[in-house]
Amino acid sequence: MRIVGIGASAGGLASLEEFFRNTPLDTGMAFLVVQHLDPTQKALLPELLQRYTKMPVREAQQNMPIEPDSVYVIPPNRELRVVGTTLKLDQPAEPRGLRLPVNVLFSSLASAQNELAIAVVLSGMGSDGTHGLQAIQATGGLSVVESPESAQFDAMPRSAINSGCADIVAPAAELPARITDFIRRVPEPGRNQSSRAPLPALNRIMDLLRQQTKHDFSLYKPTTLNRRIERRMAIHGISDQVAYGHLLANNHAEVQLLFRELLIGVTQFFRDPETWEYLIDKVLPEMLSTQSPTETLRAWVVGCSTGEEAYSLAIAFAEALEKHHPERELNLQIFASDISPEAITTARRGIYPKSIQSSVSEARLARFFTRQNNHYQIKPFIRDKVLFAHHDVILDPPFTKLDLIACRNLLIYFDVALQQRILPLFHYSLHPNRLLMLGSSETVGRLNHLFAPIQAKLRLYQRKDYNSARHSDFLLESFPPMSTMPKEPNVPSNQVTPPEAINSLQTAADHILLQVYSPAAVVLNEDADIVYISGRTGKYLEPAAGKANWNIHAMARDGLREPLFNGLKQVAKQSETIELTGLSVQTDLGTHAVDLSIQSFIEPEPLKGMTMVVFRDAPGRTVHRRKKPAQAIESDYPAQIRQYQQEIERLREQARLSREELQASNEELQSTNEELQSANEELTTSKEEMQSMNEELQTINTELQTKLDDLALAQSDMQNVLNSIEIAVLFLDQELNVRRYTERASTIISLRESDIGRPLSDLTTTLLYPELQQDAQQTLNTLAVAEKQIRTTDSRWFSVRIIPYRRLDNVIDGVVITLVDITDTKNLESSLRQHPKS
């Protein structure tokens, strides 16, 4: 059974009526309605909704079981939650005006139903429901939002749409059909599903994702891929993966939405509490006891999503340290990585909704979080221990020299081949005997020669002593790790030979010559980041420790950084190649002499704006030389003195240029500071003006409300006057459509409330007056009053008078038809004619 949560404000009754009026009876779904209600008043919403649906509408009660084809309405002054298939009611924790009951319902629905959950945001003020929709989307549920154009109050729908969480946006009357169609296309897990699309269609979708997002999902489990793709197809009403592939090819936004869909960012604080308790009480204390107080503990959280698990690990280390080694400082560095830029941005903010109270104890909330209006924020001493990075564990270099790796509920989405490539990578990245944490549904499988279980039930493993590089599926053949790079790669180059090139002897020979005998070189983009490597660059470049950084200035070895910086700066101003000779480079094997060639490119087009740096060992030069005879040494003095003088002059010139650049930078910063101060003053002034405008708007709003009250009273007076004179009056607009009528008119012409706006020609009447439409149009065209005596089918007579409708600004805006009963007059006239007086 699917459960649909519906959120609306007190002004969203019309949208709720439209939704349930168009909801069929036998959907098999249950509907939970949360409305912003006055906590001091009895709710009439169940009685009102019962008019528009044949499903039973009940007010929710504590521990009430949820049944299909039923509607449950939140009672006043309560928060409604779902636990399993049972309703739970709680007293609101926040004071009136700060309560967000829709978020509460949606968050609980996401936990209870996961990908079966459906959340609907209808008309309402504020942003209630937006955070709840994010939870629904994270678990793979369906997020549905009423289109702002059809909503009486559009703030809640607009907030949900702007957050990027809305899967379906449509008028309230269309939403039930869209939800039903989605359920039909995406059945519940475990039920018989339609046959999958042919493999080429899925491969086409994977190729589009790889081209536009640079991430490869081809090794994810096909069942996961198909289900997530089917979900996006159902939202668009597409039943064929081939057709969906055409949509992706022409819609970059949909590619990004599918990319986010496949990331499956489901996480929470201290997921699987037993694991964390064992970690804090047993595992981490042993790890801390074997670690020197001056050493930094290093951990890596893979697939961190929005950061809850990374912060949970930091809190766990802090609690273990306080409990077992209170005298030590928290010397900790956690690397948390994910391929979703949006998730990393959220994680870096460290701000989470109040719903985390369900998974974080009050003691932890008080110690590690700062409570603000509607959310909690991680305290700085925990936030500073976590470094977040945008990182793809399949493609990017790993973090190394680690004491703990947490990769929980990520491997379950990979197929077996990819799992057997990732786990040796984790083994390589860990220090001996250190810890690997997996999710509750994950194991190391057949790779028990790499990891030994500490607690198999809790999915905690210890690294075994084994050479990871010997493993057949080891990933390090594809890239160097982030914190260390081998001095010489196992392969001559990272270039990949196209398959068709092997068929050509000449091409193959050229390729081998380039690999083996060509000098090492790198291609840089405009930011000096390395985008391509040719040959062996280990003697000249090495990656910096910490977060992955492929900038050449960070990777250059000692002796190359300063010449490279100056050379790249100079080549950016000219088109000629720059040659730097005799540079001394410090490596682990000693000091080497190196020549550099730096060239910028204008063409061909793929290399436009890029720069190539070529490294060559300087022939015949070495720093470590054999001892020479004294006469030879004395003869070298003048040359050495000249070399030292040239070096001193070069250093002086560099220092002068650096001083000038620093001075220019200082002036720019001062100028920027002045601009910021000016902008701050302007913002302050704008704020004061906005406050003044707000006060004026409040005054205008009060005046308008008074005018609306006066108009409502005048309208009531007019309606009472028209009804009291017992004259049938019909008001028509310029198109001769019904604008207003009196009760007496409805006894002559068939009229009801729903006929407002209908053409006069569509109405049935007892008048024997077929020319009524023509006479009304004639009066509208000529402004001449028309008056006739007309008989009815029940033998009554009416004086029908048609006059133009003239507004106060003297504009003709329709006609007015009055019908006066003259039956008695006609009868008297007939009697007099039959019996004239003598």
Side-chain angles (χ1 to χ4, degrees):
M1 177 184 63
R2 292 180 185 261
I3 301 176
V4 181
I6 304 174
S9 70
L13 181 59
S15 296
L16 284 168
E17 293 174 356
E18 287 294 324
F19 183 90
F20 283 106
R21 182 186 285 115
N22 293 276
T23 301
L25 177 61
D26 299 323
T27 62
M29 296 183 286
F31 300 87
L32 311 183
V33 180
V34 170
Q35 193 180 29
H36 297 160
L37 302 173
D38 186 343
T40 63
Q41 301 293 328
K42 182 181 183 303
L44 300 177
L45 187 59
E47 292 83 357
L48 294 173
L49 290 183
Q50 192 65 76
R51 301 176 184 176
Y52 303 99
T53 179
K54 295 181 179 179
M55 292 184 289
V57 182
R58 310 183 183 98
E59 186 173 82
Q61 298 179 8
Q62 186 69 279
N63 298 323
M64 176 181 282
I66 303 174
E67 299 177 355
D69 297 313
S70 301
V71 181
Y72 303 88
V73 179
I74 187 174
N77 201 31
R78 288 291 184 272
E79 288 181 344
L80 179 63
R81 288 183 170 86
V82 178
V83 178
T85 57
T86 305
L87 297 178
K88 299 292 183 179
L89 297 175
D90 297 314
Q91 196 74 21
E94 296 295 335
R96 185 177 176 184
L98 297 178
R99 298 172 184 173
L100 301 173
V102 181
N103 279 336
V104 173
L105 172 64
F106 288 175
S107 297
S108 69
L109 192 59
S111 300
Q113 288 266 297
N114 295 317
E115 61 185 19
L116 296 181
I118 301 174
V120 181
V121 172
L122 299 178
S123 170
M125 299 298 292
S127 61
D128 192 11
T130 298
H131 286 298
L133 285 187
Q134 292 172 344
I136 292 288
Q137 191 178 58
T139 58
L142 179 66
S143 301
V144 183
V145 180
E146 180 181 6
S147 58
E149 294 77 17
S150 68
Q152 186 176 1
F153 302 100
D154 64 356
M156 277 174 56
R158 289 195 184 278
S159 175
I161 293 171
N162 292 337
S163 70
C165 295
D167 294 323
I168 296 175
V169 179
E174 299 178 11
L175 294 181
R178 298 288 297 273
I179 294 173
T180 305
D181 181 66
F182 174 87
I183 293 174
R184 179 177 58 83
R185 296 176 183 275
V186 183
E188 296 183 19
R191 293 191 176 183
N192 292 331
Q193 301 184 17
S194 59
S195 59
R196 301 297 186 186
L199 189 59
L202 183 60
N203 289 341
R204 170 62 174 159
I205 294 174
M206 295 299 100
D207 289 341
L208 290 169
L209 280 169
R210 185 164 48 248
Q211 292 169 11
Q212 298 195 36
T213 68
K214 309 305 180 187
H215 294 289
D216 187 3
F217 290 92
S218 60
L219 294 180
Y220 277 49
K221 288 183 177 177
T223 52
T224 300
L225 293 174
N226 278 298
R227 184 159 186 83
R228 293 287 167 157
I229 292 171
E230 284 175 355
R231 184 178 181 279
R232 292 304 307 170
M233 290 166 56
I235 291 171
H236 290 283
I238 299 174
S239 57
D240 181 27
Q241 280 196 5
V242 176
Y244 185 64
H246 292 316
L247 174 65
L248 288 175
N250 299 300
N251 190 333
H252 179 71
E254 179 61 23
V255 175
Q256 297 302 318
L257 289 172
L258 178 59
F259 172 63
R260 290 171 56 186
E261 186 81 29
L262 293 174
L263 297 185
I264 320 172
V266 181
T267 184
Q268 67 180 54
F269 284 97
F270 298 100
R271 180 169 45 180
D272 303 324
E274 301 84 1
T275 302
W276 291 101
E277 291 175 5
Y278 186 84
L279 192 73
I280 295 171
D281 294 337
K282 300 291 185 182
V283 179
L284 294 184
E286 294 179 5
M287 184 182 297
L288 291 167
S289 63
T290 60
Q291 192 91 3
S292 169
T294 59
E295 290 184 78
T296 300
L297 282 164
R298 291 163 56 89
W300 180 17
V301 179
V302 187
C304 68
S305 188
T306 49
E308 287 91 332
E309 201 137 73
Y311 291 130
S312 297
L313 184 59
I315 292 172
F317 269 106
E319 291 181 347
L321 190 67
E322 180 184 27
K323 186 175 181 180
H324 299 277
H325 302 278
E327 75 285 354
R328 290 173 55 175
E329 293 185 0
L330 185 60
N331 202 0
L332 172 68
Q333 179 68 73
I334 296 176
F335 303 98
S337 63
D338 199 275
I339 65 174
S340 170
E342 295 83 2
I344 289 297
T345 300
T346 301
R348 283 175 175 150
R349 287 198 298 265
I351 296 175
Y352 299 96
K354 292 189 300 181
S355 58
I356 66 172
Q357 295 169 343
S358 61
S359 56
V360 184
S361 66
E362 292 185 4
R364 283 171 173 162
L365 288 173
R367 181 182 175 193
F368 301 107
F369 294 82
T370 301
R371 181 171 180 175
Q372 302 187 6
N373 291 334
N374 294 312
H375 60 264
Y376 288 95
Q377 183 163 19
I378 290 287
K379 287 188 176 180
F381 80 95
I382 290 294
R383 172 64 186 87
D384 293 343
K385 300 301 180 182
V386 185
L387 175 65
F388 292 98
H390 180 216
H391 178 276
D392 188 342
V393 69
I394 302 174
L395 301 177
D396 295 333
F399 297 91
T400 56
K401 300 180 180 178
L402 301 170
D403 299 288
L404 186 149
I405 294 178
C407 181
R408 312 190 70 222
N409 297 323
L410 176 65
L411 297 181
I412 58 175
Y413 301 110
F414 298 161
D415 67 8
V416 176
L418 184 55
Q419 292 178 15
Q420 292 181 353
R421 291 171 57 193
I422 294 291
L423 288 171
L425 181 71
F426 291 165
H427 181 274
Y428 175 83
S429 299
L430 285 169
H431 281 307
N433 302 320
R434 289 314 193 187
L435 184 68
L436 172 66
M437 293 178 63
L438 298 180
S440 58
S441 302
E442 300 167 331
T443 66
V444 297
R446 298 180 179 179
L447 302 181
N448 50 16
H449 58 286
L450 298 181
F451 296 98
I454 299 175
Q455 278 287 329
K457 182 179 178 182
L458 301 180
R459 304 298 189 259
L460 297 175
Y461 298 89
Q462 188 177 47
R463 180 190 188 274
K464 286 185 175 181
D465 187 14
Y466 185 85
N467 185 0
S468 308
R470 292 168 48 198
H471 202 277
S472 60
D473 294 316
F474 189 47
L475 275 177
L476 281 182
E477 296 179 1
S478 303
F479 44 71
M482 285 187 176
S483 59
T484 60
M485 179 186 288
K487 296 181 179 61
E488 293 294 342
N490 293 330
V491 294
S493 170
N494 64 347
Q495 295 172 328
V496 178
T497 306
E500 61 272 15
I502 301 176
N503 297 327
S504 170
L505 176 61
Q506 180 179 352
T507 305
D510 291 343
H511 179 74
I512 296 299
L513 290 172
L514 287 173
Q515 283 186 324
V516 178
Y517 298 104
S518 64
V522 294
V523 177
L524 314 177
N525 61 15
E526 295 178 351
D527 298 322
D529 294 328
I530 298 174
V531 297
Y532 183 80
I533 301 175
S534 175
R536 302 188 179 199
T537 60
K539 288 195 297 185
Y540 321 109
L541 305 175
E542 64 175 350
K547 181 183 176 182
N549 187 349
W550 292 102
N551 191 279
I552 195 169
H553 299 305
M555 296 181 64
R557 290 185 178 273
D558 292 342
L560 286 182
R561 290 194 181 94
E562 190 174 351
L564 262 175
F565 176 80
N566 294 325
L568 290 172
K569 184 176 179 180
Q570 183 179 352
V571 81
K573 302 177 182 178
Q574 64 186 49
S575 58
E576 293 82 5
T577 301
I578 294 177
E579 299 287 345
L580 303 176
T581 60
L583 304 178
S584 297
V585 181
Q586 299 292 332
T587 67
D588 297 338
L589 300 177
T591 303
H592 300 274
V594 178
D595 294 341
L596 295 185
S597 296
I598 306 176
Q599 179 183 359
S600 61
F601 296 99
I602 301 177
E603 56 183 15
E605 187 64 28
L607 293 177
K608 185 175 181 180
M610 296 188 179
T611 305
M612 177 181 288
V613 180
V614 180
F615 304 90
R616 294 185 303 273
D617 291 338
R621 296 192 182 98
T622 179
V623 174
H624 304 290
R625 300 177 179 177
R626 296 180 179 179
K627 293 184 179 180
K628 298 182 180 181
Q631 296 86 349
I633 294 176
E634 291 177 358
S635 64
D636 283 346
Y637 283 162
Q640 291 179 356
I641 292 173
R642 285 195 299 272
Q643 182 180 355
Y644 293 153
Q645 288 175 343
Q646 292 174 358
E647 184 68 19
I648 291 171
E649 290 298 326
R650 186 175 64 83
L651 292 174
R652 285 176 178 173
E653 180 64 19
Q654 290 177 357
R656 184 185 64 79
L657 293 174
S658 299
R659 284 195 300 270
E660 292 177 355
E661 291 176 359
L662 288 173
Q663 181 64 28
S665 300
N666 186 38
E667 293 173 356
E668 290 177 2
L669 289 173
Q670 291 177 352
S671 175
T672 303
N673 185 42
E674 293 174 359
E675 292 175 1
L676 290 174
Q677 289 177 348
S678 176
N680 185 43
E681 294 172 358
E682 292 177 2
L683 288 173
T684 303
T685 304
S686 299
K687 180 182 177 183
E688 295 172 354
E689 293 175 355
M690 291 293 291
Q691 290 175 342
S692 176
M693 290 176 63
N694 188 38
E695 294 172 359
E696 294 176 5
L697 288 172
Q698 289 177 347
T699 304
I700 293 172
N701 186 43
T702 304
E703 295 174 355
L704 288 174
Q705 187 61 47
T706 303
K707 289 182 179 180
L708 286 174
D709 295 340
D710 294 341
L711 285 172
L713 182 61
Q715 185 177 6
S716 299
D717 293 344
M718 185 186 72
Q719 190 68 35
N720 282 285
V721 169
L722 291 174
N723 292 333
S724 65
I725 61 176
E726 295 188 354
I727 296 177
V729 183
L730 178 63
F731 297 88
L732 305 176
D733 60 19
Q734 289 188 353
E735 303 297 329
L736 298 184
N737 299 326
V738 177
R739 176 182 288 161
R740 189 188 301 274
Y741 61 90
T742 62
E743 292 182 3
R744 191 64 177 264
S746 64
T747 63
I748 305 168
I749 303 173
S750 297
L751 288 167
R752 55 184 178 180
E753 194 67 28
S754 60
D755 289 328
I756 300 297
R758 287 186 64 183
L760 176 63
S761 59
D762 291 352
L763 303 176
T764 59
T765 175
T766 60
L767 295 171
L768 300 175
Y769 191 2
E771 301 87 4
L772 179 60
Q773 173 84 10
Q774 298 176 2
D775 290 350
Q777 186 64 49
Q778 183 69 18
T779 298
L780 187 61
N781 295 336
T782 64
L783 306 185
V785 177
E787 187 169 2
K788 292 183 180 180
Q789 294 179 357
I790 304 298
R791 189 179 179 183
T792 65
T793 56
D794 54 359
S795 301
R796 291 186 297 164
W797 285 85
F798 286 88
S799 174
V800 181
R801 193 164 187 262
I802 307 174
I803 64 174
Y805 181 95
R806 194 181 300 274
R807 296 193 325 215
L808 293 177
D809 54 359
N810 203 29
V811 174
I812 304 302
D813 194 21
V815 297
V816 180
I817 303 176
T818 60
L819 302 98
V820 179
D821 192 340
I822 58 172
T823 304
D824 293 341
T825 304
K826 276 291 187 180
N827 290 339
L828 179 59
E829 180 182 345
S830 176
S831 177
L832 289 174
R833 287 179 178 175
Q834 293 176 4
H835 306 285
K837 291 183 179 180
S838 55

